[in-house]
Amino acid sequence: MADIYKVNSKNFVGGPGRLVVADMSVAAPTKISDVMDLTDPYALKDGWKDLGATSDGISITRGWDTEDFEVDQVMGAADTDVSSFEHGLETQLAENTIENRQLALAGGSIIETPATVGTGQVLGGALAAGARIVTLSTANPAFKAGGWLRLGTSELIKISSVNGTTVNLETAVSKAYTTSDQVYPVTELPSKRIGYGTVTDIPFKRYVLISQKKDGSLYMAVIRKAKVSGDSKEQAFNKGKRVLPFQLQAFPEDGVAKEENVYYEIEQA
């Protein structure tokens, strides 16, 4: 007997999404490659920033309110008119960075304080990118296991062990250094400060959600203009991982056709 159910499993869609954000000054994308390279390592284009891992999925909501229209000749409503639309996005950000908190909690400016370092010295040997052993020109007790060092003007790396003038690093250096470059013991790590107050201006941003279909092709939802909502956001300090509740309220963008002035979708066929 022939199967009466017409099912195409290629149309099943699931899996996580990649949530990214940009300022309103960045043009709304017309294709997926406007946001992300389509080949490994799938880097974002200028102006777009990853919000990182999420927990318990990402949901986009869309709904509308209606008002009944009644006439004398009909018992009950004869028609309904749409009175308002609501659009939003909700998730929990698992990467609880200061930048994500600034966005989700309407934080103030991030003030960065650079690392404090001790007396530097030139390297005792050149370093290739990827090296994990630093040779000092002179032994210095300020370089110690569990501490940090700075190479050049900005690269900070944790020290795993020290033996005389040989310093072993926990992670590899990101670039090459010569014997004219300086290495410094770090006495205090850099810091970032952010405040949360009674700001009244929550900025509009553009948001994009990218996901991959079963056949490897891509889907992208673009929210043209959205603000972080003012719903209470609770962060629990306990044994579990601390996630960051994140809710958006979307608004229509001026000068765009009504059919897609809030959000639109692009998918590879």
Side-chain angles (χ1 to χ4, degrees):
M1 182 177 178
D3 191 349
I4 65 171
Y5 303 107
K6 303 302 180 183
V7 176
N8 185 352
S9 62
K10 293 181 180 178
N11 292 328
F12 297 164
V13 178
R18 181 180 186 180
L19 186 60
V20 301
V21 62
D23 291 332
M24 289 297 296
S25 58
V26 175
T30 60
K31 53 187 184 296
I32 297 173
S33 58
D34 288 340
V35 177
M36 178 185 75
D37 289 341
L38 301 182
T39 56
D40 188 33
Y42 304 102
L44 294 177
K45 297 300 177 68
D46 289 344
W48 293 96
K49 174 183 175 294
D50 270 304
L51 295 183
T54 58
S55 177
D56 293 333
I58 304 168
S59 59
I60 293 179
T61 57
R62 173 175 167 84
W64 55 90
D65 293 327
T66 59
E67 293 181 353
D68 291 342
F69 175 68
E70 298 184 0
V71 296
D72 297 335
Q73 291 77 17
V74 177
M75 294 291 291
D79 197 0
T80 59
D81 296 317
V82 176
S83 57
S84 66
F85 279 91
E86 292 183 359
H87 315 265
L89 180 146
E90 184 171 350
T91 188
Q92 295 189 97
L93 302 180
E95 298 190 22
N96 206 316
T97 64
I98 194 170
E99 291 79 12
N100 279 352
R101 293 195 298 276
Q102 180 190 45
L103 178 64
L105 304 176
S109 300
I110 297 173
I111 302 170
E112 298 192 40
T113 302
T116 303
V117 298
T119 302
Q121 60 175 275
V122 294
L123 288 168
L127 293 175
R132 298 183 63 164
I133 299 175
V134 171
T135 302
L136 305 175
S137 54
T138 305
N140 184 341
F143 293 93
K144 52 189 176 183
W148 294 73
L149 59 74
R150 190 185 82 189
L151 286 162
T153 59
S154 60
E155 186 166 15
L156 300 175
I157 304 178
K158 193 171 185 179
I159 300 169
S160 61
S161 64
V162 179
N163 184 10
T165 58
T166 301
V167 179
N168 295 289
L169 307 178
E170 286 198 0
T171 57
V173 301
S174 63
K175 63 178 184 178
Y177 293 90
T178 69
T179 52
S180 62
D181 288 312
Q182 296 267 325
V183 57
Y184 304 84
V186 174
T187 57
E188 187 172 345
L189 287 170
S191 64
K192 295 181 179 181
R193 175 190 174 119
I194 186 171
Y196 303 92
T198 54
V199 296
T200 57
D201 183 22
I202 309 298
F204 287 111
K205 301 276 189 180
R206 296 199 193 280
Y207 293 87
V208 163
L209 176 62
I210 303 172
S211 62
Q212 192 169 50
K213 295 186 287 186
K214 187 176 181 180
D215 62 3
S217 59
L218 299 175
Y219 161 91
M220 180 173 77
V222 180
I223 300 177
R224 290 182 175 275
K225 179 181 177 182
K227 282 186 176 184
V228 174
S229 77
D231 294 341
S232 180
K233 301 170 178 62
E234 178 181 296
Q235 297 184 78
F237 289 73
N238 53 34
K239 293 180 180 179
K241 300 291 191 296
R242 192 166 80 251
V243 295
L244 185 60
F246 187 68
Q247 302 95 20
L248 297 176
Q249 182 179 359
F251 299 86
E253 185 172 13
D254 297 338
V256 178
K258 287 184 179 180
E259 289 82 1
E260 59 168 52
N261 61 357
V262 176
Y263 78 89
Y264 57 96
E265 301 173 331
I266 299 173
E267 61 178 289
Q268 295 176 333

